[in-house]
Amino acid sequence: MQTVGKPAGSADPKRHLWVLGLIAPASALLPSQLVLHTGAAVFWWIGPIIVLMVIPLLDWLVGEDGSNPRDEDYELLSNDRYYRWCTYLFLPIQLIGLIIAAYMWSGDELSVLDKLGLAATLGFVSGIGINAAHELGHRVEHMERWLAKIALAQSGYGHFYVEHNRGHHVRVATPDDPASARLGESLWEFLPRSVAGGFRSALALEKERLARKGLPWWTVHNNVLQAWAMTLVLFGALLAAFGLAVLPWLLLQAVIGAALLETVNYVEHYGLLRERRPNGSWARCSPRDSWNSDRLVTNIFLFHLQRHSDHHANPGRRYQTLRSSEEAPQLPAGYASMIVFAAIPPLWRSIMDHRVLAHYDGDITRANIQPRKRTRILASYRATA
């Protein structure tokens, strides 16, 4: 019998692949070297190229993951610190990439187009950094929670730390959750609703928490202010080192990072609605309330974020222990592909709406429907039936 904390070995056939998840932050280190050695300016855009082109292609070529951890290996995997270091190392690589990018933005060697490409690459790193923060922010260990806030500093999205854990996980797959997309709602309608709703919710939740402790809003114990202060310190240090010229690029990459996160939110719960109990309250979140995909490459790249149903049903589980559930509705492709589809609303609806309908056995009234389109959508499905 293996001892807890001993390397997992065959308990996880993907064990040695998890370090490949560090390719995401490392992509911010690559552009200058790739351009230097090839002369191809397209490599300033390496972040979007990897996420939107290379990973979807590899998902299609490599296919499904197909491996689930065994019950008897759960404690072994949970306590193996190798997996934690795969997320810890994300942060220094992410920070070094940002410093290098700020240095290049501050100079005159790059064209505006090249700087835009570099900002897009850093934005994609920033967005995937929010996923690393998501993993760390769910942990009970004090250090990992602080690392989560540090990982959010680049995107300026520190309130996510509060809203995701205490807001989204409570209200997921209900009309009350700003981060759960509704049937008939396009990505471009969803983004402002989710961004504004998540911001307001984080402030309200933190204000309530502080009030229960008898603390004012302006306190060092305010989690939202702590996270935002880290962004101010980070951006302030970069401005002091490289000048005001880097500010527009810092803001642009932060916006891209936040938009990438919210696009993933859009994909994860589109049209799904939890059942109600007889007393009218929402039933406990089940695997049926999140879209899953078990494509191997994106699983590695996003630390099992695609096993989202198990994450919501068991938010305390570390990424290496998450399982793919047959009960969960399945996406036709990996998350990397689905965010491309989501950007084109007619294509998205042609791919996803009939899957929502099938998930609810043809009863569209069980879905989470966009309120202002509800009458039209119900009439359309009745006519089709």
Side-chain angles (χ1 to χ4, degrees):
M1 181 175 178
Q2 291 179 303
T3 304
V4 172
K6 187 178 178 181
S10 61
D12 178 14
K14 301 193 293 288
R15 177 180 174 81
H16 300 296
L17 296 178
W18 292 112
V19 292
L20 297 178
L22 298 176
I23 289 174
S27 67
L29 309 176
L30 296 175
S32 59
Q33 295 304 306
L34 290 172
V35 174
L36 177 66
H37 288 90
T38 67
V42 69
F43 285 116
W44 295 116
W45 300 81
I46 191 67
I49 290 171
I50 289 174
V51 174
L52 303 180
M53 298 173 64
V54 175
I55 291 179
L57 177 61
L58 289 175
D59 268 340
W60 179 71
L61 291 173
V62 175
E64 298 291 315
D65 185 331
S67 65
N68 271 339
R70 300 173 301 182
D71 291 342
E72 57 266 33
D73 293 325
Y74 177 80
E75 292 297 329
L76 173 69
L77 290 170
S78 295
N79 291 283
D80 189 338
R81 300 192 70 84
Y82 162 79
Y83 296 95
R84 303 186 194 191
W85 279 102
C86 288
T87 52
Y88 297 168
L89 289 173
F90 195 105
L91 276 68
I93 299 173
Q94 178 183 2
L95 180 59
I96 292 169
L98 182 61
I99 293 170
I100 293 172
Y103 170 76
M104 290 188 285
W105 285 325
S106 67
D108 299 323
E109 294 82 5
L110 303 186
S111 68
V112 172
L113 184 61
D114 292 342
K115 290 183 178 181
L116 279 172
L118 184 58
T121 291
L122 267 291
F124 274 71
V125 171
S126 180
I128 298 169
I130 299 176
N131 180 51
H134 165 259
E135 170 63 25
L136 294 165
H138 273 289
R139 310 285 70 89
V140 297
E141 289 81 355
H142 189 67
M143 184 194 75
E144 291 187 88
R145 287 175 175 262
W146 273 99
L147 290 176
K149 295 172 190 174
I150 294 171
L152 289 166
Q154 181 177 338
S155 62
Y157 225 58
H159 61 280
F160 172 85
Y161 173 85
V162 171
E163 162 56 18
H164 179 80
N165 291 345
R166 305 208 316 263
H168 176 60
H169 269 265
V170 173
R171 300 181 297 240
V172 64
T174 73
D176 300 324
D177 180 33
S180 293
R182 299 155 178 172
L183 181 72
E185 181 179 34
S186 75
L187 172 65
W188 310 110
E189 294 172 300
F190 170 82
L191 285 175
R193 181 175 71 82
S194 184
V195 170
F199 179 82
R200 289 193 300 267
S201 175
L203 298 187
L205 288 167
E206 189 63 4
K207 184 177 180 179
E208 290 171 8
R209 185 187 74 86
L210 293 171
R212 288 196 299 270
K213 293 178 174 289
L215 295 172
W217 175 258
W218 298 103
T219 171
V220 294
H221 302 289
N222 185 318
N223 285 310
V224 174
L225 295 183
Q226 287 174 1
W228 286 348
M230 291 180 186
T231 295
L232 289 176
V233 170
L234 175 62
F235 283 19
L238 292 172
L239 291 173
F242 302 109
L244 283 173
V246 304
L247 182 59
W249 307 109
L250 289 174
L251 296 176
L252 177 58
Q253 65 82 30
V255 169
I256 292 171
L260 182 61
L261 161 75
E262 295 292 358
T263 301
V264 172
N265 277 340
Y266 177 80
V267 169
E268 288 171 337
H269 303 285
Y270 177 78
L272 300 181
L273 185 67
R274 274 150 63 183
E275 294 181 354
R276 284 192 183 272
R277 297 188 179 101
N279 64 4
S281 64
W282 295 108
R284 185 179 183 275
C285 187
S286 79
R288 290 178 54 81
D289 302 319
S290 307
W291 289 101
N292 267 28
S293 175
D294 205 29
R295 302 287 172 151
L296 176 60
V297 175
T298 305
N299 269 355
I300 295 297
F301 198 69
L302 294 181
F303 298 113
H304 268 165
L305 181 66
Q306 296 183 128
R307 294 185 172 182
H308 209 60
S309 292
D310 195 17
H311 168 67
H312 270 283
N314 303 282
R317 285 184 177 173
R318 292 184 178 271
Y319 71 90
Q320 66 270 24
T321 66
L322 292 174
R323 303 169 183 179
S324 182
S325 169
E326 292 183 3
E327 184 184 351
Q330 299 296 316
L331 294 168
Y335 276 18
S337 300
M338 297 308 295
I339 63 176
V340 178
F341 301 153
I344 309 169
L347 176 61
W348 173 262
R349 293 200 64 187
S350 70
I351 292 171
M352 290 301 300
D353 283 14
H354 68 91
R355 286 182 164 83
V356 175
L357 183 65
H359 180 60
Y360 291 116
D361 301 318
D363 184 359
I364 202 64
T365 63
R366 294 165 60 192
N368 186 8
I369 301 174
Q370 173 77 321
R372 68 181 183 83
K373 297 181 181 178
R374 184 176 184 85
T375 301
R376 187 194 333 154
I377 288 173
L378 292 179
S380 172
Y381 280 98
R382 287 193 193 101
T384 302

